[in-house]
Amino acid sequence: MGEFRHNIDTKGRLTLPSKFRDAFDASVVVTRGFDGCLNVYSLDQWQKVFEKLQRMPTNKKEARTFVRLFTAKASEIEFDKLGRINLPKPLVDEGHLEKECVIVGVGDHVEIWNAEAWDDYYNDEKDNFENISESLEDFEF
C-alpha cells in the first residue's frame, strides 16, 4: 500500500520504492493494467494471475481478446543493482509514462501511473469514495 512518486529516465528505468522491492524477488512481471496504468506483479502473484487467465473460456471472443491484450506486452523484468526496473518501450508507451510516475500499492500488486493521469483519476474519484463503498456487494471492514 502507499503512493510514491519517482521519475522515469529516458531509457525507461524506474526505481520502485524499497518498501515494494522488498516484497519482490530479483524480477517482476509488468503488464497493462486498468484505467491507463501498468500492473507490476511478483513472479508468484503473476503465476496465480496467469493460471486464472488460462481458465478463461477460449470459445468466447471477449475472453480471448482480454487474454491477448493483457499478456501481449507483459514482460519479466529484473531489478538492476540500483533497484530499478527497465521498462520496455511498448510498456512505457502503454502507460503513457513520461518524467514523473506514481507508484501505488494496491494489495496483491503495484501500479505504475503517469503522474498527471493518476492525479486526474484520484481527484475525479475521491469524492465518490463513500458511494462506491456502498455499491460494493459483500464488502465491509
Side-chain angles (χ1 to χ4, degrees):
M1 63 184 166
E3 174 186 322
F4 303 87
R5 292 178 184 259
H6 287 275
N7 289 336
I8 189 169
D9 70 16
T10 57
K11 295 181 180 179
R13 295 178 298 200
L14 178 68
T15 300
L16 292 184
S18 61
K19 175 180 182 174
F20 296 142
R21 274 195 321 269
D22 294 344
F24 297 124
D25 291 322
S27 62
V28 293
V29 173
V30 182
T31 191
R32 74 179 298 160
F34 298 103
D35 305 311
C37 70
L38 300 178
N39 286 356
V40 182
Y41 297 97
S42 68
L43 295 181
D44 288 341
Q45 187 60 33
W46 174 252
Q47 187 60 40
K48 292 175 188 175
V49 169
F50 191 72
E51 287 170 6
K52 289 180 184 178
L53 292 172
Q54 289 181 309
R55 290 194 299 269
M56 293 183 79
T58 57
N59 63 322
K60 302 284 187 183
K61 182 178 181 182
E62 291 83 9
R64 292 190 310 269
T65 300
F66 179 81
V67 171
R68 286 179 187 134
L69 293 174
F70 193 69
T71 61
K73 295 182 182 178
S75 185
E76 183 176 345
I77 304 170
E78 293 183 1
F79 287 99
D80 69 12
K81 61 185 176 185
L82 299 176
R84 300 175 299 188
I85 54 174
N86 190 356
L87 296 168
K89 183 160 178 20
L91 284 171
V92 171
D93 293 344
E94 186 74 35
H96 306 285
L97 303 179
E98 296 169 4
K99 185 170 176 126
E100 187 179 22
C101 298
V102 180
I103 300 114
V104 181
V106 288
D108 65 351
H109 67 283
V110 170
E111 294 177 343
I112 301 172
W113 287 79
N114 167 295
E116 185 177 337
W118 169 254
D119 292 340
D120 289 345
Y121 175 83
Y122 188 86
N123 290 329
D124 288 347
E125 298 297 334
K126 69 181 179 180
D127 292 336
N128 295 322
F129 181 74
E130 284 82 9
N131 293 333
I132 294 168
S133 171
E134 288 183 21
S135 71
L136 298 174
E137 294 182 26
D138 300 323
F139 177 77
E140 62 181 80
F141 287 105

